[in-house]
Amino acid sequence: MKNFKSILLIFCSLLIINCAKEPDFDILIKNGQLIDGSGNKSIIGDIAINSDTIAAIGNLSGKTGKKEIDATGLTVAPGFINMLSWAASALDKDGRSMGDIKQGVTLEVFGEGSSIGPQKKIDTINNTATWVSLNEKLNEMVKKGVSPNIASFVGATTLRINTVGYDDRAPTEVELDSMKMMVKQAMEEGAMGIGSSLIYAPAFYSSTEELIEISKVAAQYDGLYISHMRSEGNKLLESINELLRIAKEADIRAEIYHLKMSGKDNWHKFDAVVAKIDSARKAGLTVTTNMYSYIAGSTGLDASMPPWVQEGGYAKWAERLQDPNIRKKVLEDMRKPAIEWESLMQAAGSADKMILVGFENDSLRYLTGKTLAEVAKMRNTTPEETAMDLVVQNGSDVSTVYFMMSEENVRKQIALPWMSFGSDAGSYATEGDFLNYSTHPRAYGNFARVIGKYTRDEKLISLEEAVRKMASLPASNLKIKKRGQLKVGNYADIAIFDFDKVQDHATFEKPHQYASGMVHVLVNGTLVLNDGEHTGAKPGKVVHGPGFKE
């Protein structure tokens, strides 16, 4: 009897210990359709996460998690990478990144021409100036708190402003050396490479040779040269030639920002563009592209005026626009065929295809959402004169949506094997100060549109291919480690969605509308979106490029 009691006591003790056993993992995602991001066929399985890392993938039945997510009937994919993000200022106001998180975007990549660093920080009290690096600015954002991960190119425009200023001239030897030193520092601090935006002043003033020289520095760190080219319209093919020359002479990998054929007269160039890129790739150059999934772009009214009038920055630009003689010359340049510069007004074809969406001057905000043609009619002035007046009255440039591309070309581009995606927009919330401005619907729908409209509804590409284009392809192009695929040892950036319900809802008339269908989103192993609702978590980190040195 004594032995029986002892055995019973031991058995009960073991039972209690077993019942109190710690869960196997922090988070266990069960029974999902796993799309790993590589392009491989999906499988049904489980994913386990410990801390910020994927710990196991496969059949994990019998295992437990502190938190368990039932993904039955849902797609589980690596988080998406926004290759062209303007979310930095929005994240400074609201770190939740609502618009993009609700589409599964877990990494925002900044730096199209302009970057948030390096920049001069002026102390007006002590009359001193110090330099703040790109990495310091990114780390400030993370310290403040952001939901997605963030990364950046160093902007060629920023380098030029820091040295040459806004002047239309070549840099001196000393200035070029300073630019190269800034590139070196940025690359060693983790920049992805160099981003240029060549239709805008003062970037327009940069020569090909200048871009080659600074790109040579980024190439030493295996960085990427990524460019909004000098032309996406009348001189599209010539601009691709320039990009290829930079890639070859600087020995650098290259990517084209938001590839498009702007203006109806250029829509036929699709085949020539693809042939040129494919030929360069076969010849050994590494060339890729990205795009947004809409037929309209968005930028400022500056893109409708010649760069010469913008030399010296906004104050000089506005001053010139109020000089009757200069104004007459600007009007002539805006109307005659733009050959040596890129006119988006001409690419749109008419002022009724230009929607005004962003005013800084409160007194002008009643015009938000109207076309330039409508405002010109209200004021009884020509569209060109109206554009000039608005730039002066607004106290800054005016954000504008331009309808320039064909739906047929958008569809064909989506299927290109070397095409990834970038919103070319901020990541906003449908509340607060964000509602004082309109925007392009791509800010809320770019990635959901790829999945819902073009993958599920129109079946242009498979879901596996869509995920590859939004995850592993951009991660590979950026040379990012441990992201972009569902893989043991990788960071747990994960998007879980209902493929049948993913849908963009933002329109040009009502852009402030969230996409739907995204159920859960994890960033670095932390749930940021849970059952479609933001948790308030801000686990985002700075993601570093290939040249990063601790």
Side-chain angles (χ1 to χ4, degrees):
M1 188 70 181
K2 187 177 181 181
N3 288 340
F4 176 76
K5 287 183 178 179
S6 300
I7 293 170
L8 187 62
L9 186 61
I10 293 169
F11 176 78
C12 290
S13 299
L14 289 171
L15 189 63
I16 292 168
I17 291 169
N18 189 58
C19 290
K21 181 185 174 185
E22 283 290 309
D24 299 291
F25 304 105
D26 291 338
I27 297 176
L28 183 60
I29 303 167
K30 302 189 294 186
N31 305 317
Q33 178 194 13
L34 308 185
I35 298 181
D36 68 6
S38 68
N40 292 335
K41 282 287 185 183
S42 65
I43 62 169
I44 301 299
D46 312 317
I47 297 181
I49 299 166
N50 278 331
S51 185
D52 61 359
T53 302
I54 296 174
I57 299 176
N59 184 350
L60 302 176
S61 57
K63 300 294 184 180
T64 58
K66 293 177 184 175
K67 178 172 180 59
E68 297 189 356
I69 298 172
D70 184 3
T72 303
L74 302 178
T75 299
V76 182
F80 305 143
I81 296 174
N82 188 346
M83 277 296 290
L84 202 183
S85 172
W86 286 104
S89 59
L91 290 175
D92 191 52
K93 294 178 182 177
D94 183 348
R96 294 175 300 167
S97 190
M98 293 291 290
D100 270 358
I101 284 293
K102 281 182 170 284
Q103 298 180 77
V105 174
T106 57
L107 173 59
E108 305 280 352
V109 185
F110 314 136
E112 185 207 4
S114 299
S115 53
I116 57 176
Q119 63 176 236
K120 269 185 182 176
K121 191 174 183 180
I122 308 296
D123 184 339
T124 54
I125 297 175
N126 298 312
N127 198 29
T128 58
T130 55
W131 282 96
V132 182
S133 74
L134 174 58
N135 193 47
E136 285 175 308
K137 293 295 290 184
L138 292 171
N139 280 318
E140 282 178 15
M141 290 178 64
V142 167
K143 187 175 181 180
K144 189 173 180 179
V146 290
S147 293
N149 297 308
I150 56 175
S152 184
F153 290 87
V154 61
T157 305
T158 299
L159 298 173
R160 196 165 228 279
I161 291 171
N162 287 343
T163 52
V164 180
Y166 293 86
D167 297 341
D168 182 2
R169 64 173 176 82
T172 65
E173 189 175 337
V174 171
E175 288 166 343
L176 185 58
D177 283 344
S178 294
M179 292 165 72
K180 290 160 83 170
M181 285 299 295
M182 289 179 193
V183 175
K184 180 178 187 294
Q185 179 180 355
M187 293 305 298
E188 291 183 355
E189 289 187 342
M192 298 291 138
I194 292 176
S196 69
S197 191
L198 302 176
I199 74 165
Y200 305 106
F204 177 86
Y205 312 136
S206 300
S207 67
T208 308
E209 290 74 20
E210 176 186 321
L211 295 167
I212 289 169
E213 286 304 306
I214 60 175
S215 293
K216 284 179 179 177
V217 180
Q220 295 171 11
Y221 299 91
D222 201 17
L224 181 68
Y225 172 72
I226 188 166
S227 181
H228 177 155
M229 301 182 298
R230 289 190 198 275
S231 174
E232 298 171 327
N234 295 340
K235 287 198 170 184
L236 172 59
L237 299 178
E238 294 88 339
S239 294
I240 294 175
N241 287 342
E242 181 187 37
L243 179 123
L244 297 179
R245 181 187 163 196
I246 293 168
K248 183 176 181 180
E249 295 189 23
D251 192 22
I252 194 168
R253 298 175 299 110
E255 178 153 329
I256 298 171
Y257 271 131
H258 45 57
L259 181 68
K260 63 175 73 74
M261 297 87 221
S262 292
K264 193 170 183 178
D265 291 343
N266 297 299
W267 291 355
H268 70 281
K269 294 179 180 178
F270 176 87
D271 290 340
V273 167
V274 173
K276 192 175 282 290
I277 294 172
D278 276 339
S279 177
R281 287 167 61 88
K282 288 175 183 174
L285 292 179
T286 301
V287 184
T288 50
T289 62
N290 62 64
M291 66 179 289
Y292 44 81
S293 52
Y294 294 84
I295 60 170
S298 183
T299 183
L301 285 176
D302 60 337
S304 291
M305 300 183 201
W308 64 261
V309 76
Q310 301 172 51
E311 182 181 1
Y314 172 77
K316 292 287 186 183
W317 177 22
E319 182 182 325
R320 292 188 187 105
L321 291 180
Q322 296 172 81
D323 182 310
N325 293 324
I326 296 176
R327 189 181 176 93
K328 183 179 178 182
K329 178 71 169 69
V330 174
L331 185 62
E332 290 174 1
D333 281 5
M334 289 176 74
R335 286 179 172 170
K336 69 184 181 183
I339 304 300
E340 299 305 319
W341 61 284
E342 186 92 334
S343 169
L344 297 197
M345 179 181 284
Q346 293 182 21
S350 60
D352 63 345
K353 294 179 181 176
M354 298 168 58
I355 304 175
L356 306 172
V357 296
F359 293 97
E360 293 298 325
N361 186 335
D362 287 346
S363 68
L364 294 175
R365 286 182 181 164
Y366 74 99
L367 299 174
T368 300
K370 296 185 182 299
T371 67
L372 181 63
E374 289 173 324
V375 177
K377 187 176 180 180
M378 289 166 57
R379 295 181 170 208
N380 197 29
T381 55
T382 68
E384 294 86 355
E385 291 171 314
T386 303
M388 287 188 270
D389 290 340
L390 289 174
V391 166
V392 173
Q393 294 162 9
N394 193 44
S396 71
D397 201 358
V398 178
S399 295
T400 306
V401 169
Y402 295 84
F403 287 84
M404 305 177 290
M405 292 86 79
S406 78
E407 177 66 22
E408 180 185 2
N409 282 345
V410 168
R411 288 165 55 86
K412 289 191 292 189
Q413 285 185 192
I414 286 171
L416 293 171
W418 25 261
M419 181 68 72
S420 60
F421 296 93
S423 69
D424 196 5
S427 181
Y428 310 122
T430 58
E431 59 191 75
D433 185 53
F434 295 123
L435 299 182
N436 288 329
Y437 305 85
S438 187
T439 187
H440 190 298
R442 64 193 181 188
Y444 289 95
N446 187 60
F447 296 86
R449 191 173 176 85
V450 172
I451 297 172
K453 176 178 172 61
Y454 291 112
T455 301
R456 181 193 62 229
D457 298 345
E458 301 193 11
K459 298 178 172 56
L460 293 184
I461 53 177
S462 68
L463 182 55
E464 288 86 350
E465 178 67 355
V467 171
R468 183 188 74 85
K469 287 169 170 289
M470 294 191 286
S472 69
L473 177 61
S476 174
N477 294 340
L478 294 168
K479 299 286 184 179
I480 291 173
K481 297 176 181 177
K482 298 173 66 176
R483 299 186 194 271
Q485 286 193 52
L486 299 181
K487 188 177 179 182
V488 173
N490 277 13
Y491 290 105
D493 297 337
I494 299 174
I496 304 173
F497 55 91
D498 187 332
F499 180 51
D500 293 331
K501 294 182 180 178
V502 171
Q503 190 68 49
D504 65 296
H505 300 286
T507 64
F508 289 101
E509 294 74 25
K510 295 182 178 180
H512 287 291
Q513 299 186 75
Y514 294 127
S516 59
M518 192 61 56
V519 182
H520 308 291
V521 176
L522 296 94
V523 178
N524 299 314
T526 297
L527 264 174
V528 173
L529 199 72
N530 187 32
D531 289 327
E533 297 298 322
H534 204 293
T535 65
K538 297 174 182 177
K541 299 178 182 179
V542 177
V543 174
H544 299 114
F548 178 64
K549 295 184 178 180
E550 290 289 351

